[in-house]
Amino acid sequence: MALGLAMVAGISAPASAQCSCTKTMIDEVKERGVLRAGVKNDAPYLGFVDDKGELAGFEIDIVKDLARRLNVKVEFEPVKASNRVQLLQQGRIDIIVATVSHYRNRDRVVDFTLPYLYTPQTLLVKKASGIKSMADMAGKRFGLDAGSGAVKNVPRAQPKAIVQTFQNWPEAFFALERGTVDAVATDNLLLAGLRAASPDPSVYEVVGKEGFYGGAYYAAVVRENDSKSRDAINFLLQDQWKDGTWMAIFDKWLGKDSALKMTLADFNDFSIPVWDE
């Protein structure tokens, strides 16, 4: 499986070019024999670079299984929150599976599939900080990914806090490590991954329900007005849930077989909606 920008015929358009696609994404993928997926490479346990230098994680395995069910190969394009939609709209990737929360403002420019995960939003802090809730963050400093929804949501939840933005979540965590911010705020799963990947996880804690300031569903993203492709991915996600594939991937990266040891209760008892025939 090719990693990075694999130059396949028809995807070498310049950054300013807009996709003038007439076929559906699913038709293009089957004709090409390759699914080009935008994924994270900096989100521990979701999409990250492992100790072998390869992309790994929950979302990576979800995409690999989607490609398997489509009977095509997969190519991964690491994306950031700030560029993932643009790459999709330019036709340089076919789908985004990269911790994209389903918000109305995003749905106006792209189409979302059914959710494949729900994550409450909370705080990652140093245990010694005494921070136990959003109320405790008044006058303190948040570290946030510049392209994330947290940039909008955190000031709503705590308008008296100071927001500092970074290029990605590891940079925000590094600022917490150095003490230049007091908390990192985003989805609890991302925070749990950052904590687990730190040199000394015992120094940090993911604040529980007292710190919750929202929650969001992660969904795959396809180009706007391509209902055939959206439905095709929806059906495959439901099949993953029905035959146990989703749960096996969850246990491997997030659940009982992982370093995180999380349960579905940590995700508000999430399940993928399954439609009757």
Side-chain angles (χ1 to χ4, degrees):
M1 295 181 183
L3 177 64
L5 275 172
M7 298 308 295
V8 180
I11 67 168
S12 56
S16 60
Q18 293 296 315
C19 177
S20 58
C21 308
T22 55
K23 297 180 181 178
T24 67
M25 178 271 284
I26 285 294
D27 289 338
E28 290 176 347
V29 166
K30 290 182 177 180
E31 184 176 294
R32 188 192 308 125
V34 176
L35 175 67
R36 303 168 305 177
V39 296
K40 299 287 284 184
N41 66 355
D42 59 1
Y45 304 97
L46 283 169
F48 68 108
V49 179
D50 65 15
D51 54 10
K52 298 178 181 178
E54 298 177 353
L55 280 173
F58 173 81
E59 291 182 327
I60 304 301
D61 281 2
I62 290 290
V63 174
K64 286 180 178 178
D65 185 72
L66 291 177
R68 180 187 66 82
R69 292 171 191 267
L70 289 169
N71 196 30
V72 297
K73 297 179 180 179
V74 63
E75 291 176 355
F76 292 116
E77 171 66 28
V79 298
K80 297 179 180 179
S82 57
N83 73 354
R84 55 196 177 190
V85 170
Q86 182 182 29
L87 292 174
L88 180 72
Q89 291 174 327
Q90 291 170 351
R92 293 168 60 178
I93 55 178
D94 304 307
I95 190 171
I96 308 171
V97 184
T99 68
V100 187
S101 298
H102 193 170
Y103 298 140
R104 285 191 180 189
N105 66 317
R106 291 173 175 171
D107 204 291
R108 293 186 179 101
V109 294
V110 292
D111 279 346
F112 285 79
T113 68
L114 291 171
Y116 58 81
L117 197 63
Y118 176 83
T119 58
Q121 295 162 337
T122 186
L123 315 175
L124 176 64
V125 299
K126 290 183 177 178
K127 286 184 179 178
S129 69
I131 297 169
K132 299 296 182 184
S133 69
M134 288 296 280
D136 295 332
M137 285 298 296
K140 298 188 184 298
R141 302 156 299 177
F142 279 108
L144 308 176
D145 184 321
S148 72
V151 173
K152 177 177 64 177
N153 296 335
V154 165
R156 289 176 179 172
Q158 181 45 277
K160 296 181 180 180
I162 301 161
V163 169
Q164 297 181 24
T165 58
F166 300 87
Q167 288 299 308
N168 51 52
W169 290 115
E171 284 188 13
F173 178 79
F174 185 51
L176 176 64
E177 205 172 30
R178 291 177 304 180
T180 57
V181 301
D182 301 294
V184 178
T186 186
D187 305 333
N188 70 337
L189 177 52
L190 285 172
L191 298 177
L194 290 169
R195 177 184 177 274
S198 70
D200 187 358
S202 66
V203 173
Y204 307 95
E205 67 176 341
V206 178
V207 180
K209 290 186 177 180
E210 320 84 59
F212 287 3
Y213 63 92
Y217 288 97
Y218 287 169
V221 181
V222 297
R223 292 191 296 262
E224 180 81 337
N225 300 322
D226 187 356
S227 61
K228 178 180 177 180
S229 299
R230 184 185 65 240
D231 285 348
I233 300 300
N234 281 341
F235 297 156
L236 296 181
L237 290 171
Q238 292 178 72
D239 291 344
Q240 286 181 345
W241 181 265
K242 288 193 298 182
D243 66 17
T245 299
W246 185 96
M247 197 69 218
I249 295 172
F250 177 89
D251 284 339
K252 176 183 176 182
W253 291 108
L254 313 177
K256 63 184 180 65
D257 301 325
S258 74
L260 302 183
K261 306 296 182 188
M262 301 178 83
T263 69
L264 290 180
D266 293 309
F267 303 92
N268 202 30
D269 296 318
F270 173 79
S271 64
I272 292 178
V274 175
W275 302 329
D276 290 336
E277 290 291 341

